[in-house]
Amino acid sequence: AQSVTQLGSHVSVSEGALVLLRCNYSSSVPPYLFWYVQYPNQGLQLLLKYTSAATLVKGINGFEAEFKKSETSFHLTKPSAHMSDAAEYFCAVRNAGNMLTFGGGTRLMVKP
Amino acid sequence: EAGVTQFPSHSVIEKGQTVTLRCDPISGHDNLYWYRRVMGKEIKFLLHFVKESKQDESGMPNNRFLAERTGGTYSTLKVQPAELEDSGVYFCASSQRTGVTEAFFGQGTRLTVV
């Protein structure tokens, strides 16, 4: 069975600093991986997805993630944080039954 | 194009009462999923419809939960009778077809059982 671990339930960065949100997965088959974001009082929005094409995936709002099979990781990065990036971020892996298995979420706080 | 819509956005009920949550998927999306996030925990899968049929309901916690999708359009999730541990945020998602297509999520229904 697939599983996802997000290291750090809370991450705080200064505006303009690098954002790094960590995600490690466990999967017995080549995984399909996703990052979702939830802004306050909104639903989950897809940031980006990895579907076995390019290992570096670019998403919306300047975010990108790199799939590293050897490390079973799919970390999310953004070179320069904006105040508007403050939200909760979820890493997920798609299971054989097409449902998603989520990590515990990481709440990103951006300090001015 | 309208997104996935969930009603109500918030619900507070007493233990033992019944609550029905509704999800309207994006028009034309055959796949509909229910997920739940209990406070402090990860988002967990509840069940999956393909049109009006239950494809997978392995995540349903117990028989107090009943999901339906009449006519393959909107879906309801009924909790009867509600218990304190049912509190959480219930998300609905839909996708156009099975596979690695994006699942679009609704805003969620925050259920509080007191």
Side-chain angles (χ1 to χ4, degrees), chain A:
Chain A
Q2 283 88 343
S3 66
V4 177
T5 301
Q6 292 183 239
L7 295 177
S9 58
H10 291 79
V11 170
S12 181
V13 301
S14 297
E15 192 172 20
L18 171 72
V19 176
L20 170 61
L21 305 183
R22 299 178 186 274
C23 172
N24 287 87
Y25 69 91
S26 170
S27 177
S28 57
V29 297
Y32 292 126
L33 295 158
F34 304 81
W35 275 99
Y36 281 85
V37 59
Q38 186 180 23
Y39 298 104
N41 301 316
Q42 295 187 27
L44 296 171
Q45 179 181 2
L46 182 69
L47 268 180
L48 48 81
K49 62 184 179 185
Y50 168 75
T51 59
S52 74
T55 56
L56 182 62
V57 182
K58 294 189 182 298
I60 61 172
N61 301 336
F63 284 92
E64 62 182 35
E66 186 172 9
F67 172 71
K68 291 187 176 180
K69 184 178 179 180
S70 61
E71 299 177 7
T72 62
S73 69
F74 190 55
H75 301 332
L76 182 71
T77 60
K78 181 174 180 177
S80 176
H82 295 167
M83 297 296 292
S84 60
D85 294 327
E88 191 160 18
Y89 293 79
F90 297 91
C91 182
V93 62
R94 186 177 72 94
N95 292 308
N98 294 304
M99 75 285 283
L100 297 171
T101 294
F102 286 89
T106 298
R107 188 168 297 278
L108 175 67
M109 293 164 284
V110 182
K111 299 175 291 186

Side-chain angles (χ1 to χ4, degrees), chain B residues 26 33 39 65 77 86 109:
Chain B
I26 292 172
Y33 306 83
M39 185 178 294
F65 289 75
L77 180 64
D86 300 333
T109 294

Side-chain angles (χ1 to χ4, degrees), chain B residues 11-32:
Chain B
S11 180
V12 181
I13 62 171
E14 293 184 350
K15 176 183 172 181
Q17 288 186 323
T18 297
V19 63
T20 300
L21 313 181
R22 173 169 168 148
C23 170
D24 286 73
I26 292 172
S27 177
H29 282 196
D30 288 342
N31 293 277
L32 187 149

Side-chain angles (χ1 to χ4, degrees), chain B residues 13-19 62-66 78-87 90 111 113:
Chain B
I13 62 171
E14 293 184 350
K15 176 183 172 181
Q17 288 186 323
T18 297
V19 63
N62 50 61
N63 59 10
R64 294 185 294 103
F65 289 75
L66 175 64
K78 180 190 290 187
V79 185
Q80 179 182 29
E83 298 289 346
L84 299 179
E85 63 264 25
D86 300 333
S87 296
Y90 291 76
L111 175 64
V113 183

